[in-house]
Amino acid sequence: MTHVYEGSFDGRRLRIGIVVARFNESVGMRLLDGALDGLKRHGVSDDDISIAWVPGAFEIPLVAERLASSGEFDALVCLGAVIRGETAHFDYVAGESAAGISTASRKTGIPIANGILTTEDADQAIQRAGGKAGNKGFEAALAALEMANLLASLPKPSEGI
Ligand code: INI
């Protein structure tokens, strides 16, 4: 019998942490609206959602790692916007935030969805935060639910490996 592992989008009883950057705040707010909409539509209770605001995308991994290692969350969603036109250190901020999230997720075993936009300009960011290109916050929220449910269904790591 073939085993197929697939996570559902059922958010009931899942505890979700959201880390959102205040830099480019209007975009962050729209991503947050999208993420909350995605979580609530899939049954996540208000009481099971926590939100942490950080100054910018660069700070997201540290806070995500703290939340992920607390044992209080089944998955996290990270939200922010790094816009090339606005910074000389775009590559550092964009690269470090993505790499840091990935490291935090694998270190803690908690799924952390990356909803941090990296765009050439503000218009592209707005389009991806509830405009023509959808809402990446909503998409990241669904990825978090799917991964939380998938991980719960997978075999547990065996001792000593
Ligand atoms: N932070 C962002 O989230 N997006 C950006 O586009 C951005 N730019 O343009 O610089 C940005 N910079 C701030 C950075 O994330 C840190 O908060 C800051 O360097 C302090 O550590």
Side-chain angles (χ1 to χ4, degrees), residues 56-86:
F58 190 79
E59 283 75 31
I60 288 176
L62 176 63
V63 173
E65 191 168 318
R66 173 72 69 88
L67 296 182
S69 56
S70 69
E72 293 186 11
F73 298 98
D74 298 298
L76 303 180
V77 182
C78 295
L79 304 172
V82 191
I83 300 175
R84 185 185 292 277
E86 292 176 11

Side-chain angles (χ1 to χ4, degrees), residues 8-134:
S8 80
F9 296 99
D10 184 355
R12 286 172 297 172
R13 291 177 299 282
L14 291 181
R15 302 157 305 161
I16 306 295
I18 300 175
V19 186
V20 54
R22 204 177 298 110
F23 205 99
N24 295 314
E25 187 169 7
S26 63
V27 177
M29 294 286 292
R30 293 175 200 206
L31 292 170
L32 179 59
D33 285 345
L36 292 172
D37 186 34
L39 295 177
K40 289 176 191 176
R41 277 175 192 262
H42 290 86
V44 181
S45 151
D46 270 333
D47 291 341
D48 289 331
I49 300 173
S50 302
I51 301 169
W53 285 91
V54 297
F58 190 79
E59 283 75 31
I60 288 176
L62 176 63
V63 173
E65 191 168 318
R66 173 72 69 88
L67 296 182
S69 56
S70 69
E72 293 186 11
F73 298 98
D74 298 298
L76 303 180
V77 182
C78 295
L79 304 172
V82 191
I83 300 175
R84 185 185 292 277
E86 292 176 11
T87 176
H89 60 295
F90 171 92
D91 291 319
Y92 287 112
V93 176
E96 289 299 323
S97 59
I101 287 171
S102 167
T103 301
S105 183
R106 279 178 287 142
K107 197 167 150 187
T108 59
I110 298 294
I112 306 180
N114 183 355
I116 303 174
L117 303 176
T118 53
T119 64
E120 293 299 318
D121 55 44
D123 187 56
Q124 284 183 355
I126 291 163
Q127 293 313 326
R128 288 162 176 70
K132 275 189 290 210

